[in-house]
Amino acid sequence: MDFRFDIIAHYIPVLLRGTAFTIGVSIVSIILGSVLGLGIGFGKMAPKAYFRWPFHCYINFFRGTPLYVQILIVHFGVIPAFYGSTNVLMTSFVALSLNSAAYSAEIFRAGIQSIDPGQREAAVSLGMTQFQAMRFIILPQAVKRMVPAFGNEFIVLVKDSSLLALIAAPEIMYWSNTMKGQYLRIWEPYLTAALIYFILTYSLSKLLNYIERKV
Amino acid sequence: MEPMISVRHLHKSFGTHKVLTDISVDIHIREVVVVIGPSGSGKSTFLRCLNLLEQPQEGDIIIEGTSLMAKTTRINDIRTELGMVFQQFNLFPHKKVIENIMLAPVRVRKWPVGQARQKALELLDKVGLREKADVYPASLSGGQAQRVAIARALAMEPKIMLFDEPTSALDPEMVGEVLAVMKDLAREGMTMVVVTHEMGFAREVGDRVLFMEQGVVVEEGDPEQLFGHPAHERTQAFLSKVL
């Protein structure tokens, strides 16, 4: 079997741009997703059941349906409804952030609920407000426990962003598909894509191990 | 004299399980009230109601003239006057010993950091642990952790100290050091409510002892009377088992 490095070399510049897109959309989505997820996570811990309900539904919808379907709904339904026409960049950020928020919410909730209730009791018995107890006592301890789960979520997000090829977002898989179409070859485009994803996720997991040791 | 804490007809249930039934107790300034009774008698729940870690369903608790059940009462302000010591210490594991003690004075009382540090070091001297100021709680023994927890509560300069079985989680050889700190506090005139199984402490330090069983105060009196001549047969039965 011949393996044509020359066509890979030819595609390197666009694949690098695709990689930059993948990294960019993943970073923005994990950040937006965490911020949104923190709010949703708190919503799901609310004392009143009717207040928890919408957050509960949100999480179950995004965890219970394929990202593939969510991307299509956002791309052809949600974005046109708000923006007037489809927009690949917006869909990329919105779909991945909304999806990531559901998983982040569960990470936050689990992390916060894993802290011994005695910690909150000690804090409020010293006169701290619920907010201060959360801010100074519970969250700093909970965040430490959340780091591995967040790392995992980030890695999943990087890989799942490949589904954006579906709407022609210019990321790694999109360019690999283009390469396959141009040269009618299988191994070169897909192995290259696999290698790029592997390098991204492997470096990410190394970085996360380092952060876990630090905190 | 107006009592420091006045508990009036307090009722508390968890679901259908009635934990406290019609508790009425007055606690006066400088008084050390010790609450004894078998496990599940409601004595810890009673103590936790005093700073609203548990919300009673009925009755009232009046602390220095302020009703805890009134809608206008800011419970955070009341809690700054009530120090609480827990069975499981509940030190903040992510903060050094001195930070554990300084945190509430700085964040709640809004003291300058220097003043809070000064106060924290004085309190560590008082409980004999100044050399532990910069370690994390994980490296403390149980007795040391509980003494730090007492110092942390005292840093807010509370008027009343609540102790919820402070020695029950300790190895036997460490009970004495914690009780010694508590005796010092009592001698200095701190108003204290102590839930404990340490009958020796109750007898020696308590001004008044409450015996609770099945959510009611069965009998109360000064220690000599309650331990020497218990009036109620349930008190007698309990004391014959623990003494």
Side-chain angles (χ1 to χ4, degrees), chain A residues 27-106:
Chain A
I27 289 174
V28 171
S29 301
I30 195 87
I31 292 170
L32 291 180
S34 317
V35 173
L36 197 56
L38 185 63
I40 295 166
F42 276 120
K44 209 191 163 194
M45 285 186 283
K48 297 261 185 282
Y50 61 82
F51 193 83
R52 283 198 300 270
W53 189 75
F55 301 98
H56 181 78
C57 292
Y58 180 96
I59 291 168
N60 279 323
F61 174 78
F62 280 96
R63 295 204 310 175
T65 58
L67 179 56
Y68 192 102
V69 178
Q70 293 163 18
I71 289 171
L72 292 177
I73 292 174
V74 170
H75 191 56
F76 295 112
V78 178
I79 296 292
F82 285 96
Y83 181 67
S85 65
T86 60
N87 183 300
V88 167
L89 201 58
M90 279 190 202
T91 299
S92 303
F93 291 133
V94 171
L96 286 190
S97 299
L98 292 181
N99 180 272
S100 178
Y103 289 91
S104 301
E106 285 295 83

Side-chain angles (χ1 to χ4, degrees), chain A residues 118-119 121-129 132 136-137 140-141, chain B residues 48 76 79 82 86 90-94 103-104 107-108 152 156:
Chain A
Q119 292 289 307
E121 289 181 355
V124 299
S125 78
L126 287 163
M128 285 188 221
T129 61
Q132 287 175 318
F136 298 116
I137 305 304
Q141 296 182 60
Chain B
R48 289 161 59 84
N76 297 326
R79 282 173 176 154
L82 294 162
F86 299 86
N90 294 344
L91 292 180
F92 306 134
H94 60 304
L103 186 67
R107 296 295 177 180
V108 179
R152 179 178 69 176
M156 290 297 283

Side-chain angles (χ1 to χ4, degrees), chain A residues 85-177:
Chain A
S85 65
T86 60
N87 183 300
V88 167
L89 201 58
M90 279 190 202
T91 299
S92 303
F93 291 133
V94 171
L96 286 190
S97 299
L98 292 181
N99 180 272
S100 178
Y103 289 91
S104 301
E106 285 295 83
I107 294 171
F108 277 120
R109 187 189 56 74
I112 287 167
Q113 290 183 343
S114 76
I115 302 300
D116 179 352
Q119 292 289 307
R120 190 196 67 84
E121 289 181 355
V124 299
S125 78
L126 287 163
M128 285 188 221
T129 61
Q130 298 290 345
F131 178 80
Q132 287 175 318
M134 188 53 74
R135 159 84 180 74
F136 298 116
I137 305 304
I138 298 169
L139 269 185
Q141 296 182 60
V143 163
K144 266 187 194 178
R145 299 189 189 178
M146 293 172 195
V147 168
F150 258 114
N152 220 17
E153 168 59 15
F154 198 9
I155 286 171
V156 169
L157 194 63
V158 169
K159 293 188 294 177
D160 282 359
S161 69
S162 58
L163 286 169
L164 293 170
L166 185 67
I167 55 160
E171 47 72 68
I172 299 167
M173 270 329 283
Y174 172 79
W175 290 118
S176 304
N177 282 331

Side-chain angles (χ1 to χ4, degrees), chain A residues 171-188:
Chain A
E171 47 72 68
I172 299 167
M173 270 329 283
Y174 172 79
W175 290 118
S176 304
N177 282 331
T178 311
M179 187 170 158
K180 177 201 160 217
Q182 184 177 347
Y183 294 102
L184 298 174
R185 296 190 61 91
I186 301 299
W187 292 96
E188 289 85 353

